Amino acid sequence: MVNPRVHITKSPADLEKFVADAVHNVVVFDNNPFPVVIGVSGGSIVPVVAKALEPYAGRNIRIFAVDERLVALEDADSNTGAYLKLLPPAFKDKFALLPVDVTNASVAATSYESILRSWKVPQTEGGLPAFDLLFLGMGPDGHTCSLFPGHELVKYSGPAWVLSIEDSPKPPPRRITVSLPVLLAAKRNVLIATGAGKAEVLHKIIDEKDQGYPTSKLFSALNTDWVLDEASAANVANE
Ligand SMILES: O=C(O)[C@H](O)[C@@H](O)[C@H](O)[C@H](O)COP(=O)(O)O
């Protein structure tokens, strides 16, 4: 049986529509008095996610980079900066902005987390934030956010929402990232993995149920949609 959480898009327009619908559904059908809180990752998903967010400048939304590099906002490596370059100026007030002093990763993680807490994001019984929607990417090694295979951060199960990392194998090395339990606590994750470089890892996770990758747990969880393209789905039987 085809897994209903695996979506093999047929074209870039098809993928854009999936992402746009995900944002639309959470923004338009939300009737809470609180802001809709959306988490975003960096990498190749930035343009498609920015395009999906763009129509909602007038809405009560807040956006949090669930994986951020410890660089200034103007730096080409800043994920938040990459989104802001593509979005209208009104979005600057919607993003959590890293503290100006970005030299200490663990201080940055604590103060970035305090921004999310100040938004009064709903929490699970276990005290983790329940993001309305998270957009995640995935590397060919099965990492997501800055949760890399074999790294101790993948095993973290404590109360902190945002963790610091000084030795990311993907440059730049100094970053902050939400924890895996935070990803599992989100109301919905949309994990976008495109391109032939991700075909093998997707086959392992989806078909072989390989538990060895940071993203494997998201496959077993019911809160994640896997959005592929034909190149990344080339080895996926999805049966
Ligand atoms: O800031 C980052 O580096 C990301 O949050 C990271 O987790 C990214 O999403 C994956 O590495 C996939 O990146 P690509 O889509 O560019 O392959």
Side-chain angles (χ1 to χ4, degrees), residues 151-236:
H151 196 283
E152 58 178 19
L153 284 194
V154 178
K155 293 189 222 124
Y156 180 83
S157 62
W161 297 357
V162 181
L163 311 174
S164 57
I165 172 166
E166 302 269 2
D167 56 355
S168 163
K170 178 180 176 180
R174 304 178 67 245
R175 296 157 169 248
I176 53 173
T177 179
V178 297
S179 68
L180 191 52
V182 167
L183 302 184
L184 294 168
K187 291 181 193 159
R188 184 183 187 198
N189 294 314
V190 172
L191 186 151
I192 305 164
T194 57
K198 294 165 190 174
E200 191 49 31
V201 69
L202 286 166
H203 166 66
K204 290 221 160 79
I205 294 171
I206 295 174
D207 297 328
E208 296 182 357
K209 314 285 183 282
D210 189 322
Q211 291 301 308
Y213 299 97
T215 36
S216 301
K217 283 207 171 62
L218 292 173
F219 191 70
S220 340
L222 295 175
N223 67 344
T224 303
D225 286 293
W226 293 63
V227 185
L228 319 185
D229 65 359
E230 289 187 324
S232 67
N235 298 348
V236 172

Side-chain angles (χ1 to χ4, degrees), residues 11-31:
S11 65
D14 199 12
L15 189 144
E16 279 180 15
K17 182 171 183 326
F18 190 98
V19 173
D21 286 349
V23 177
H24 177 85
N25 290 343
V26 82
V27 173
V28 172
F29 298 121
D30 179 79
N31 42 31

Side-chain angles (χ1 to χ4, degrees), residues 68-75 78 92 96-105 107-112 114-115 174 176:
E68 185 55 286
R69 295 90 180 265
L70 287 194
V71 294
L73 195 57
E74 300 70 33
D75 193 294
S78 166
K92 190 157 183 193
L97 300 179
L98 261 185
V100 177
D101 172 15
V102 290
T103 52
N104 182 321
V107 171
T110 308
S111 51
Y112 206 50
S114 70
I115 299 174
R174 304 178 67 245
I176 53 173

Side-chain angles (χ1 to χ4, degrees), residues 30 32 34-37 116-125 127-132 161 182 185-187:
D30 179 79
N32 282 319
F34 310 111
V36 170
V37 181
L116 187 56
R117 287 183 183 273
S118 76
W119 291 348
K120 306 280 180 242
V121 54
Q123 294 184 25
T124 64
E125 279 180 17
L128 295 175
F131 277 92
D132 290 296
W161 297 357
V182 167
K187 291 181 193 159

